Amino acid sequence: MTDHMPSELAPLVSSVSRRNFIFGLGAAGVAVALAGCGSGGASVDGATADGPPQPGGTFIVGTTQVVAHANPAIGGGSGPMIVGAQIFAGLVLTGDDFSPQPYLAESWEFSPDYRSLTFKIRSGATFHDGKPVTSEDVAFSILASKKYNSYKSMFETVTDVEAPDATTVIIRLSVPNAALLACLTPATAPILPKHIYGDGQDLRNHPRNTQDVIGSGPFRLTTFEPRTEIRMARYDNFFLPDRPFVDEVVYRPDPSGTTILLQLQQGEIHSLRTADSVSLQQLRAQPTIEVADKGMQAISGVGVVAVNMENQYLKNPQVRQAIAHAMDRRYILEQVLGGEAANADSVLAPIDQFHSDNVTKYPYDVAKAKELLAAAGYPNGFSIRIDYLPSVREFCGSMAEYMKEALKDVGITATVIASPDLAAVAPRVVSGDFDMYLLLNLGYGDPVVGVHSLYESAGIGESYPGNVSRYRSPEVDELLVQASQEMDLAQRKEIYAKFQKIVSDDLPVIPYAQYRPRNAYIPAVVRNPNLGVWEGLAPYKDVWVTAP
């Protein structure tokens, strides 16, 4: 139960299953109408044990992301989501129990057959240029995300979005969509102003994705310098009264993570998110810094080695199995990742509600790896390239260096390619110009959002991340379709268990560790930090600071 649930709804919610709460408080004809607005762990009035919030000040956040653009509707990974969640509103937010919470939408109601979902949006909400937010903007935005977002499975079943009046939105579906409400957050389905983005230009290359970006979220963009600084000022006419509390949010990008680590220790920034073991150990030793071990489930996930299934060597399943056996999981967890990660044999993390342990596992065995390579016709090995996600230096960068040495032990010669940022490596990966690519596969609230696109045939060649392995399996495609349509939670778990077993046999990607980032912040300065399931990919509307 979240802090934002009105007391009059508590008996109703407690009397229904979690599944029914997520999909509309029981019967499909019962509308959800919550008076509060979820924020992932914030109190209803923003107050903390230290008293009521103090409006004003600047909240400074360090990030390893170099954000290519500020429009999450066109995809691009977590970078655009971080910024976009502050600039754009979404229909819903996500509570600590993953239940949908009102945001731009005040209420919603599924039809009895789950093939339409009707929203009532707030009246009086405006974009940063003063124009009203209407149902036409919402309809345009959802269809834009359907067309352009790299996570294709989110809205694949959406056939139309209607706007019968200024505050009513009806999403029509070809079949039920079990993850629909989870996909309507600001990070995954931002509400765009139709009067700006509906001008006929290709949304992926629209100039307003980076400059003079207009949304209806708590902050408006004032400076967009992706490699140096991104600044956003408080939007005074934000639709939630008295929000946000801070006057400004500033992002300080540092792909290496070294500078922002020092800046946090010196109090020059207020918060950062990291999974780097050395950084976490240093920060935990600082009495002025708090490292939170709660929340962030939606941006937790699994580190994986994506193998190019069209590569002349890697397309052989015995070669992929050999690579998996060449990986010493114990050494990876204890030495490469510094004891801050857990093992992952499945692409769905152990903390994921759909995780299954009934998967094929590949224990560390150099002799077995060599046997498999010989059986595949490569007793003397071969040469490959290893790319990695540059914004996560340890989990992917250090792991890439480890893979180079591990593969050498079984006769494979690897060259590690270090790209300066995601913009440099993403086009090559999407086009298939790579051999192996280490990345983080994040859940983003539901497997439909963060996992399906990694395996769906339709995701091949689409915008990053998509199906980077170029994996094709009609059986997996069908299972993922079933999982996206099944409204019963227990049945969904069974479907995802079958899926996990198949892909653990096929190995288009090789999971190696659970990625669990932590939020480190200065508690004397930052109050009511975002420690919900989305953390910094949710709006900072309830955060307040004690320093100017």
Side-chain angles (χ1 to χ4, degrees):
M1 195 80 62
T2 67
D3 293 336
H4 286 282
M5 187 167 296
S7 59
E8 63 269 21
L9 281 183
L12 175 60
V13 174
S14 64
S15 68
V16 298
S17 70
R18 170 178 161 75
R19 165 189 173 261
N20 285 335
F21 176 65
I22 290 177
F23 298 113
L25 287 181
V30 179
V32 176
L34 303 183
C37 185
S39 60
S43 65
V44 71
D45 58 1
T48 68
D50 301 300
Q54 300 176 17
T58 299
F59 180 40
I60 308 174
V61 182
T63 177
T64 58
Q65 295 276 359
V66 176
V67 182
H69 62 84
N71 185 354
I74 61 174
S78 61
M81 293 179 177
I82 292 171
V83 177
Q86 313 310 323
I87 299 173
F88 299 100
L91 287 175
V92 300
L93 294 175
T94 307
D96 288 344
D97 62 352
F98 278 92
S99 62
Q101 304 288 300
Y103 193 27
L104 190 58
E106 291 183 318
S107 63
W108 51 87
E109 180 180 7
F110 269 105
S111 63
D113 63 359
Y114 290 105
R115 294 196 179 191
S116 69
L117 177 58
T118 301
F119 286 92
K120 294 299 290 187
I121 65 172
R122 298 175 186 271
S123 58
T126 61
F127 290 108
H128 300 157
D129 59 3
K131 295 186 181 297
V133 180
T134 71
S135 56
E136 290 283 351
D137 298 297
V138 176
F140 167 81
S141 302
I142 294 172
L143 292 174
S145 289
K146 171 183 170 67
K147 181 177 181 179
Y148 293 106
N149 201 298
S150 55
Y151 299 110
K152 294 294 184 183
S153 52
M154 288 195 301
F155 302 120
E156 187 175 12
T157 63
V158 174
T159 58
D160 195 14
V161 185
E162 301 171 7
D165 60 55
T167 60
T168 303
V169 177
I170 305 173
I171 301 176
R172 302 291 185 185
L173 305 170
S174 58
V175 293
N177 185 332
L180 184 58
L181 281 168
C183 298
L184 294 172
T185 70
T188 48
I191 303 307
L192 311 173
K194 182 179 179 181
H195 63 274
I196 290 176
Y197 291 102
D199 60 359
Q201 297 188 66
D202 187 330
L203 193 65
R204 290 166 294 193
N205 303 309
H206 203 288
R208 302 292 285 273
N209 291 338
T210 55
Q211 298 298 324
D212 195 19
V213 184
I214 299 296
S216 59
F219 299 94
R220 54 183 179 81
L221 186 68
T222 57
T223 301
F224 189 79
E225 299 293 342
R227 297 184 182 279
T228 55
E229 188 174 75
I230 298 174
R231 303 184 79 94
M232 292 169 286
R234 181 184 194 273
Y235 179 46
D236 291 334
N237 293 321
F238 183 50
F239 55 80
L240 295 181
D242 304 319
R243 300 295 198 279
F245 294 124
V246 297
D247 289 335
E248 192 174 35
V249 172
V250 177
Y251 287 112
R252 297 272 172 79
D254 172 29
S256 73
T258 304
T259 301
I260 55 175
L261 179 65
L262 181 61
Q263 288 177 335
L264 181 64
Q265 293 171 324
Q266 294 176 343
E268 297 175 12
I269 66 172
H270 304 145
S271 174
L272 64 83
R273 183 194 324 116
T274 183
D276 180 84
S277 63
V278 175
S279 299
L280 287 170
Q281 290 160 14
Q282 289 182 20
L283 294 172
R284 286 194 178 102
Q286 298 290 323
T288 60
I289 295 173
E290 178 77 16
V291 177
D293 288 321
K294 63 172 290 188
M296 301 190 222
Q297 296 94 321
I299 56 174
S300 298
V302 173
V304 300
V305 181
V307 297
N308 189 337
M309 300 285 282
E310 295 176 351
N311 177 279
Q312 61 177 318
Y313 309 115
L314 301 177
K315 66 183 180 182
N316 189 312
Q318 291 177 310
V319 171
R320 300 194 298 276
Q321 294 166 12
I323 292 172
H325 279 299
M327 300 166 63
D328 186 342
R329 304 306 182 93
R330 180 176 177 180
Y331 184 86
I332 291 170
L333 296 176
E334 295 179 359
Q335 301 299 320
V336 181
L337 302 180
E340 292 287 349
N343 184 54
D345 293 304
S346 168
V347 73
L348 291 176
I351 62 171
D352 194 292
Q353 66 173 332
F354 297 108
H355 170 79
S356 171
D357 195 48
N358 182 26
V359 295
T360 301
K361 301 176 183 179
Y362 300 86
Y364 178 55
D365 190 333
V366 171
K368 179 68 172 178
K370 289 181 177 180
E371 288 177 9
L372 286 165
L373 287 175
Y378 306 111
N380 299 317
F382 48 83
S383 297
I384 58 170
R385 302 164 295 169
I386 301 177
D387 286 276
Y388 64 89
L389 179 66
S391 59
V392 190
R393 56 176 180 165
E394 180 183 71
F395 223 86
C396 295
S398 297
M399 185 64 191
E401 294 294 339
Y402 164 77
M403 287 295 297
K404 174 182 176 180
E405 299 303 316
L407 294 178
K408 183 189 300 183
D409 290 342
V410 299
I412 299 174
T413 301
T415 301
V416 174
I417 301 176
S419 299
D421 52 42
L422 180 60
V425 69
R428 290 196 300 103
V429 169
V430 171
S431 67
D433 182 19
F434 78 102
D435 300 327
M436 292 171 57
Y437 178 56
L438 276 69
L439 75 154
L440 299 178
N441 188 68
L442 305 183
Y444 291 137
D446 192 284
V448 168
V449 185
V451 177
H452 284 214
S453 63
L454 191 64
Y455 294 92
E456 290 174 321
S457 301
I460 297 174
E462 295 292 335
S463 55
Y464 182 89
N467 184 341
V468 296
S469 294
R470 312 179 86 75
Y471 171 65
R472 293 175 174 85
S473 169
E475 184 179 10
V476 166
D477 285 343
E478 177 59 27
L479 284 173
L480 294 180
V481 168
Q482 292 175 19
S484 68
Q485 297 176 14
E486 178 55 64
M487 304 300 282
D488 183 85
L489 184 60
Q491 291 295 320
R492 285 192 85 197
K493 289 182 176 180
E494 290 184 11
I495 295 169
Y496 279 123
K498 294 178 183 177
F499 154 75
Q500 289 169 81
K501 181 62 172 69
I502 292 171
V503 297
S504 71
D505 290 335
D506 291 350
L507 282 184
V509 303
I510 305 171
Y512 57 84
Q514 176 179 299
Y515 174 77
R516 190 74 190 272
R518 309 303 201 273
N519 182 305
Y521 64 98
I522 303 174
V525 176
V526 183
R527 307 300 172 87
N528 220 17
N530 272 18
L531 297 179
V533 298
W534 282 98
E535 197 257 343
L537 278 68
Y540 287 130
K541 62 185 181 60
D542 294 298
V543 175
W544 55 281
V545 297
T546 60

